[in-house]
Amino acid sequence: MHHYETIAEAIKYINDHHTEQPSLDDIAAAVHLSPFHFQRLFKEWAGVTPKKFLQYISLQHAKTLLAKNYTLEDTTFETGLSGTSRLHDMFVNMEAMTPGEYKNGGENLHIKCTFTITQFGMVFIAATDKGVCNIQFTESFENSLAELRAQWPKANITVAESPILKTVKEFFTERNEAVKDLRLHVKATPFQLKVWEALLKIPCGQVSTYGQIADSIQHPKASRAVGSAVGDNPVAYLIPCHRVIRSTGILGEYHWGKERKTAMIGWEASKVIGEKAAI
């Protein structure tokens, strides 16, 4: 679960050399491992072989998902699944901060923060008394803490644990079937809130496009504005902006790195397909 850096390096190599169709030996050599150890490490992390994982991050797989004409309201099948395939909006509740809570640099906010290691790298987590206000992938806890202090200069920010932060950590341990309620407390415009609520409805293992999201919130001509709102998402992974791709099937960029987005989409596909096969 904690081999993300090696996995990301392998994904970058695959993306950079996809036209050459690199072999297992090629990829293993690029990350300085023997083919045997790389295959074992990769399967430990993803649950599938590198070859199978490549199918889940291919352009053809993305186009297949989009060709299903999936809509954000079409969630019946997913609600019957447990574990990683459960819909985010079944257990994530989002509340927008009031103007009084974030005016004057957040002087009325009490924020606690911590970090945890996930299958996609280290994450910085911050929460008010009402819910999670920030999750970001990071290489440095100190840098992320400094960014949070700059964003909320008058807030009371402490490095400490809380029940909300503990729940987020449990979610990232792959024991998220035990997580019954996750509350988010975010600074958002009404439009951003609509977009982020739409993102919560994208099931694990599925993808959507900016245009589909714009249609779902009754703003069919607002794809560009939707893209901006997706990019402004303050809560990485829990608000699954990584599941938004281009209408052509190309995965596109991601605030926390293209390799990480690719890893998330492939990892989720491997988990969901594995669960469906077990039903």
Side-chain angles (χ1 to χ4, degrees), residues 168-203:
V168 176
K169 286 185 172 183
E170 288 174 350
F171 175 84
F172 277 115
T173 61
E174 294 189 75
R175 294 195 302 272
N176 54 36
E177 67 274 6
V179 176
K180 302 300 181 185
D181 179 50
L182 255 174
R183 290 173 290 143
L184 308 184
H185 188 214
V186 292
K187 179 180 177 181
T189 65
F191 183 82
Q192 286 175 324
L193 204 61
K194 281 185 177 181
V195 172
W196 298 343
E197 285 171 344
L199 297 182
L200 291 174
K201 295 179 181 178
I202 306 173

Side-chain angles (χ1 to χ4, degrees), residues 215-237:
D215 288 342
S216 76
I217 61 173
Q218 284 76 55
H219 289 277
K221 297 182 179 180
S223 293
R224 188 178 296 274
V226 165
S228 295
V230 169
D232 289 336
N233 171 26
V235 182
Y237 198 71

Side-chain angles (χ1 to χ4, degrees), residues 21-33:
Q21 292 294 298
S23 65
L24 176 66
D25 288 3
D26 294 331
I27 302 168
V31 296
H32 313 293
L33 291 174

